[in-house]
Each structure stands twice: as structure tokens, then as C-alpha cells.
């Protein structure tokens, strides 16, 4: 970053629409800026520096192709996982979400990578996780974000 400046979440409100989404988008951009995909690193770094607006990044054909390619890889991996793997992933995601909300409540902006404090009550392990992770190969994309996990199957057996 030429001047060391990084956009803040207020500058992302135009695309994010509210502060929580702006905070989440900022975290995602920081993650992408150090990730393995060179096109996504370029896009995220450009937005974080302020060289590129989020609107420009999300409408650029090369960047959107890279984003969709990554999402497709995640979808395919979700379709191949077993029920046990899906349950474990749901439990880990729940613990991560809880840790992130605990950090946000304390005012920590620690990238969402921390762990809950030791005095936090243990999270109960559900018999079967609810939400889109529940049936990994049953027509949904599964995973956090609810990408189609509860849609009915279409005419070809996929949602």
C-alpha cells in the first residue's frame, strides 16, 4: 500500500448496506488479500488500498470469474463430504461464529480468528446440525451462508 492506508468499513457501506456486513466484507477482503488465488489477491488488495472501489471489483468480469470459480470449488467439496464430515463442519462453524460474536461484543477487531474466553459456557453438541449443512449431497451447496441447502430438488434431481 503506497501510503499505508487501508479502507475502513464505513467506506464499504455502499455495497454492504449495514455495519455488520461492512465488517464482514472487510474481513473477507483481508483474507482474500493473502489467499492462494492471485486474481483474488489483486482484487482484494486493490479494494483495501482504495485503488479500486468494491463496486468496480464486484462488477469486473475477471474478478467475478475468480470469485465464482472459488465458490464452485467449495460447492464441489461440500457435495463430496460425508454426513459425519458435514456434522463436524457445522459444529466447527458454530464454535467459530460464537468466538467471532464474543470478540465483536468485547470490541476486539481481531480478524475473527480468536477463540472464546475460557469462562464461556461450553457449546452443546447437537445431535444433527440444523441449517444448510445438514444434507451435503441432497441438492444443496451446504456450508455457511445457506447457499441452497434447503431448496427442493429440481427436475434433474439437483436443487
Amino acid at each position: 500500500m503506497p501510503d499505508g492506508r487501508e479502507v475502513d468499513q464505513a467506506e464499504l457501506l455502499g455495497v454492504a448496506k449495514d455495519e455488520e456486513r461492512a465488517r464482514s466484507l472487510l474481513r473477507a477482503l483481508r483474507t482474500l488479500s493473502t489467499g492462494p488465488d492471485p486474481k483474488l489477491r489483486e482484487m482484494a488488495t486493490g479494494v483495501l488500498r482504495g485503488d479500486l472501489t468494491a463496486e468496480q471489483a464486484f462488477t469486473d468480469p475477471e474478478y467475478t470469474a475468480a470469485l465464482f470459480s472459488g465458490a464452485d470449488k467449495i460447492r464441489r467439496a461440500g457435495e463430496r463430504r460425508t454426513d459425519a464430515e458435514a456434522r463436524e463442519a457445522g459444529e466447527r462453524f458454530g464454535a467459530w461464529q460464537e468466538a467471532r460474536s464474543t470478540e465483536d461484543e468485547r470490541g476486539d477487531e481481531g480478524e475473527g480468528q480468536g477463540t472464546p474466553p475460557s469462562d464461556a459456557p461450553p457449546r452443546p453438541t447437537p445431535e444433527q446440525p440444523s441449517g444448510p449443512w445438514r444434507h451435503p449431497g441432497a441438492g444443496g451447496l451446504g456450508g455457511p451462508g445457506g447457499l441452497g441447502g434447503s431448496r427442493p430438488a429440481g427436475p434433474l434431481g439437483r436443487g
Side-chain angles (χ1 to χ4, degrees), residues 24-128:
S24 180
L25 177 56
L26 187 57
R27 285 181 180 141
L29 288 167
R30 288 175 178 157
T31 299
L32 290 172
S33 73
T34 60
D37 187 296
K39 190 52 76 174
L40 293 178
R41 276 196 316 267
E42 174 186 306
M43 181 268 303
T45 302
V47 174
L48 288 171
R49 283 185 193 163
D51 298 338
L52 184 67
T53 67
E55 292 90 349
Q56 290 169 323
F58 299 144
T59 57
D60 180 280
E62 289 183 35
Y63 296 146
T64 55
L67 284 166
F68 284 115
S69 173
D72 189 50
K73 289 175 189 171
I74 292 169
R75 179 191 56 80
R76 286 193 312 267
E79 288 174 346
R80 289 190 301 265
R81 69 183 173 191
T82 65
D83 285 340
E85 290 169 329
R87 273 192 300 279
E88 182 182 335
E91 291 166 5
R92 283 194 321 260
F93 179 71
W96 172 83
Q97 255 186 331
E98 184 176 297
R100 188 175 127 191
S101 69
T102 300
E103 287 175 356
D104 287 347
E105 288 171 7
R106 290 187 315 205
D108 295 345
E109 289 297 324
E111 306 296 318
Q113 300 294 326
T115 57
S118 58
D119 62 341
R123 181 178 178 85
T125 303
E127 288 294 316
Q128 278 200 326

